[in-house]
Amino acid sequence: MTLRIISLNAWGGRLHETLIGYIRQADPDVLCLQEVLRVPGTGGGWSIYRDAGLELPQRANLFTEIGTALPGHDGFFCPTSRGELFDGDTAIAAEFGLATFVRKTHSLIAEGLDFVHGRSADCWGEHPRPRNAHCIRLFSHEHASTVTIAHMHGLRDPAGKGDTAARKEQAEALVRLIERVWPGGENLVVCGDFNVLPDSATFTILARLGLSDLVTGNGLVDTRTSYYLKQGRFADYMLVTPGVKVAKFEVVEAPEVSDHRALLLDIG
């Protein structure tokens, strides 16, 4: 199966114009996005996220805007929580979570979605907030073959990215979700913004499925862009099983479309 997979933390669409342009140009078969917003019903454009004195611009209907940019894809929105954004002093009820876009020429034959930390919340709440993962199994009619792809947005802990009991359980929950969809014995790709360090027990747990990471495996040390000003520049990972034929793997340096770099994988 020939397939292009892109994983990216979309940063709420803060670099909206560049993000949309890149997605159109890169033309992925499967696009796995974290930090995506959607306003149920009408609405959209720019809004403000407020939290403890912090104000961040966000695209309130980023999911719909990316779907418009990819008319040849089916979009799946997977919310973890609902909270308030603001247009001036007007509060907007928005949903936050994952989004997966799949080219319509590929058939979705199995799917799993579940929380890997916490449960759905009707407010943004305190950290670590709820997190989920989405797993899909695709069939390619052109190549008469299948592949399973999962992505996750790992929990954010204000204390840092070190291992915790919650992160260990998160990894175990991700494995359980994958095993509900993936039959074994075929190609498996797992990606996302894990919010952990390369020595995390998360990777030992995922290794039980035969997965190994392409970021650290290629000696790469930075998945963040110039918009990220903190130390500790690992966050995003792309793992594959041994049978996956990696034609190209890239941690995209330009254009910068988020404070995270996009991870691009071509399967040949």
Side-chain angles (χ1 to χ4, degrees):
M1 178 186 293
T2 302
L3 203 68
R4 169 164 287 184
I5 302 167
I6 291 178
S7 176
L8 173 66
N9 181 316
W11 206 25
R14 287 179 64 184
L15 301 178
H16 176 256
E17 185 175 345
T18 307
L19 171 65
I20 296 295
Y22 171 71
I23 288 171
R24 285 186 175 130
Q25 176 272 323
D27 194 28
D29 296 290
V30 180
L31 176 62
C32 300
L33 293 176
Q34 303 88 48
E35 289 197 23
V36 176
L37 291 149
R38 182 183 72 166
V39 175
T42 60
W46 289 107
S47 60
I48 298 295
Y49 165 79
R50 295 173 180 160
D51 182 23
L54 181 69
E55 292 197 351
L56 301 174
Q58 305 277 280
R59 296 298 293 189
N61 236 337
L62 183 60
F63 175 72
T64 300
E65 292 171 328
I66 292 174
T68 300
L70 294 174
H73 292 62
D74 291 317
F76 305 87
F77 183 66
C78 311
T80 58
S81 56
R82 174 181 286 204
E84 289 186 340
L85 301 177
F86 291 88
D87 180 3
D89 293 327
T90 302
I92 303 166
E95 295 178 337
F96 173 91
L98 304 178
T100 310
F101 292 86
V102 179
R103 195 182 302 279
K104 293 178 180 179
T105 51
H106 295 84
S107 296
L108 181 71
I109 59 173
E111 179 181 23
L113 169 66
D114 208 345
F115 285 84
V116 291
H117 175 75
R119 286 293 178 264
S120 181
D122 200 29
C123 63
W124 301 137
E126 299 296 323
H127 293 286
R129 292 170 176 168
R131 290 290 193 256
N132 61 357
H134 188 211
C135 184
I136 58 176
R137 187 169 181 238
L138 300 182
F139 179 79
S140 168
H141 295 272
E142 180 182 358
H143 300 95
S145 61
T146 53
V147 61
T148 299
I149 303 164
H151 72 117
M152 173 182 77
H153 186 195
L155 68 89
R156 177 185 178 272
D157 188 330
K161 295 180 180 177
D163 277 342
T164 62
R167 283 195 167 111
K168 181 178 183 296
E169 174 51 35
Q170 174 179 261
E172 296 283 2
L174 176 60
V175 167
R176 291 193 296 270
L177 174 65
I178 292 168
E179 289 178 331
R180 286 182 2 219
V181 177
W182 180 58
E186 71 178 30
N187 289 341
L188 171 65
V189 178
V190 180
C191 54
D193 171 10
F194 289 3
N195 268 322
V196 299
L197 300 174
D199 62 356
S200 172
T202 294
F203 299 102
T204 303
I205 293 167
L206 291 175
R208 301 202 305 253
L209 302 179
L211 290 159
S212 58
D213 175 47
L214 295 175
V215 174
T216 55
N218 283 282
L220 301 169
V221 297
D222 192 348
T223 65
R224 308 302 294 254
T225 69
S226 64
Y227 291 91
Y228 186 78
L229 305 179
K230 302 176 186 178
Q231 298 298 313
R233 302 188 64 81
F234 283 103
D236 309 273
Y237 300 92
M238 179 88 72
L239 296 90
V240 297
T241 48
V244 174
K245 296 180 180 178
V246 178
K248 177 182 179 181
F249 175 70
E250 181 182 2
V251 177
V252 179
E253 294 189 17
E256 293 188 340
V257 298
S258 165
D259 65 340
H260 294 251
R261 296 182 185 179
L263 306 185
L264 183 151
L265 171 65
D266 285 344
I267 297 174

